[in-house]
Amino acid sequence: MGLDYYLILGLTKSAIDADIKKAYRKLSLKYHPDKNQEIGAFAKFKQVAEAYDVLGDPKKKAVYDQFGEEGLKSGVPEGSGQTGAYTHGYAFHGDAHKVFKNFFGGDNPFNEFFDGVDGDLSMGFGGLLGRGNKKQDDSIERDLVLTLEEVFHGCTKKMKISRRVMNEDGHTSSERDKILTITVKKGWKEGTRITFPKEGDQGPNNIPANIVFIVRDKAHPRFKRDGNDLIFTAKVLLGKALTGCSVEIPTLDGRLLNIPINDIVSPGYQKIVPGEGMPISTEQNKKGNLIIRFEIEFPKQLTPEKKHLLKEALL
């Protein structure tokens, strides 16, 4: 047998929006875990939150009133039903504290009200009588993964978010998608934070959270990034490491660098090429360095003749 959301809130189907809000307000305060530690109280607190999440939303309530819990959670035909399309099934997100916080505008209203003789709320908090201060939700952080090419050239990224937005009645909300546009500047370092103020879920008594995107470097097949510098590892044969060579490096902007190496490449040796690294975001037209590190490839075997020649040359 399905859940009877009206029964959970102690209401009948004739209840209006004000009745639903009043019932949720009373029962959520009664069963809130900060106030009620009895066995089963928290489960009741979650049930009350789910009931309000459905009955407090006109669209969900309309589907529930017509098709019951099964129709609400399984989806029902859209429009005339001839197209074969179904609505998305409802699933409670399970966060009863989030429902409570959105309703009251804070996590714990108990320090700002007192109960009357009959246990009804006598002094308001937040959305009850407007006496409490609205509290902003914690920032929501998301990674913005960028390739080195995207950071090298700069680019525009469009990020899709889903959030709850207040309806015109000022009491209910619905989930909607929004596209946030990020203009990536040349040379942005990993860890750069881009903040979109108050783009989180809206509620009648809360300040929406800021959404913060944090730049993360995507692994690159040729380069590693170290601040403004690019690191390239070149593989060279032992003979060339001792006698000199040149290293070809395809750059991030499509050029091919040919870097002569005239020094002896010993362990730990590196070649620095100025101005061939990443753009410096704070200094226009300036770039970091390209650092070439070396991986020396030793021969797997030598003929007696080659060993003799090496001894004569090196010893």
Side-chain angles (χ1 to χ4, degrees):
M1 185 174 179
L3 291 174
D4 187 332
Y5 293 128
Y6 288 100
L7 182 62
I8 290 172
L9 294 181
L11 301 170
T12 65
K13 280 192 174 183
S14 62
I16 61 174
D17 185 62
D19 298 328
I20 295 168
K21 286 182 170 58
K22 182 179 180 181
Y24 173 73
R25 179 169 61 239
K26 182 177 181 179
L27 293 174
S28 64
L29 290 169
K30 178 180 180 180
Y31 293 110
H32 193 287
D34 288 350
K35 185 180 180 183
N36 193 332
Q37 300 294 323
E38 294 180 6
I39 297 175
F42 184 67
K44 189 68 177 179
F45 179 66
K46 290 185 67 175
Q47 269 195 345
V48 167
E50 181 176 348
Y52 178 72
D53 192 52
V54 173
L55 299 183
D57 185 313
K59 290 184 179 180
K60 295 176 193 170
K61 181 177 181 296
V63 174
Y64 176 72
D65 286 346
Q66 185 174 357
F67 299 98
E69 185 197 19
E70 183 177 352
L72 176 71
K73 294 186 175 181
S74 300
V76 297
E78 291 185 316
S80 63
Q82 297 176 356
T83 62
Y86 274 67
T87 61
H88 293 292
Y90 166 76
F92 181 53
H93 50 68
D95 191 347
H97 287 285
K98 181 178 180 180
V99 176
F100 185 86
K101 184 175 182 179
N102 287 341
F103 186 88
F104 287 102
D107 291 313
N108 185 5
F110 300 114
N111 58 358
E112 295 201 22
F113 79 89
F114 59 86
D115 291 332
V117 176
D118 296 328
D120 291 330
L121 192 63
S122 299
M123 180 177 290
F125 173 87
L128 300 184
L129 296 177
R131 298 177 63 92
N133 294 324
K134 289 185 178 182
K135 184 178 180 182
Q136 185 171 24
D137 294 342
D138 294 336
S139 294
I140 300 169
E141 296 184 351
R142 297 184 179 181
D143 287 344
L144 175 63
V145 181
L146 301 171
T147 66
L148 290 185
E149 285 83 359
E150 288 174 326
V151 180
F152 186 90
H153 295 287
C155 64
T156 299
K157 304 290 284 187
K158 294 185 180 296
M159 311 299 292
K160 180 179 177 181
I161 64 169
S162 295
R163 62 176 188 155
R164 298 204 69 81
V165 177
M166 292 301 298
N167 297 323
E168 292 182 0
D169 60 13
H171 299 288
T172 61
S173 62
S174 55
E175 189 168 296
R176 299 178 190 173
D177 293 336
K178 183 173 182 178
I179 301 297
L180 301 179
T181 301
I182 301 173
T183 301
V184 177
K185 295 183 179 179
K186 295 180 180 181
W188 267 358
K189 293 182 180 179
E190 188 169 40
T192 297
R193 299 168 70 89
I194 307 98
T195 301
F196 289 86
K198 301 179 183 178
E199 289 290 357
D201 288 343
Q202 297 178 358
N205 299 294
N206 74 304
I207 301 174
N210 296 335
I211 294 184
V212 182
F213 291 94
I214 304 174
V215 172
R216 304 295 182 197
D217 288 340
K218 185 177 182 179
H220 195 273
R222 296 193 305 277
F223 299 105
K224 288 186 178 180
R225 186 183 185 190
D226 183 9
N228 296 317
D229 297 333
L230 288 175
I231 299 172
F232 179 85
T233 300
K235 294 182 178 182
V236 296
L237 296 173
L238 176 61
K240 292 185 176 182
L242 296 173
T243 60
C245 62
S246 63
V247 177
E248 290 188 343
I249 304 175
T251 65
L252 294 174
D253 56 358
R255 295 174 293 124
L256 183 64
L257 297 179
N258 194 306
I259 309 297
I261 309 297
N262 298 316
D263 300 322
I264 293 176
V265 179
S266 57
Y269 172 84
Q270 59 184 25
K271 177 77 172 181
I272 297 177
V273 184
E276 290 291 350
M278 295 294 289
I280 300 175
S281 60
T282 56
E283 299 183 53
Q284 190 174 7
N285 299 324
K286 287 191 177 182
K287 295 179 182 176
N289 298 324
L290 170 63
I291 301 173
I292 306 174
R293 295 176 179 172
F294 294 88
E295 184 178 313
I296 302 173
E297 295 183 327
F298 284 76
K300 294 182 179 179
Q301 59 183 12
L302 292 171
T303 63
E305 292 79 5
K306 289 182 178 180
K307 287 181 180 180
H308 178 70
L309 290 172
L310 284 173
K311 286 181 180 180
E312 285 190 343
L314 299 176
L315 298 180

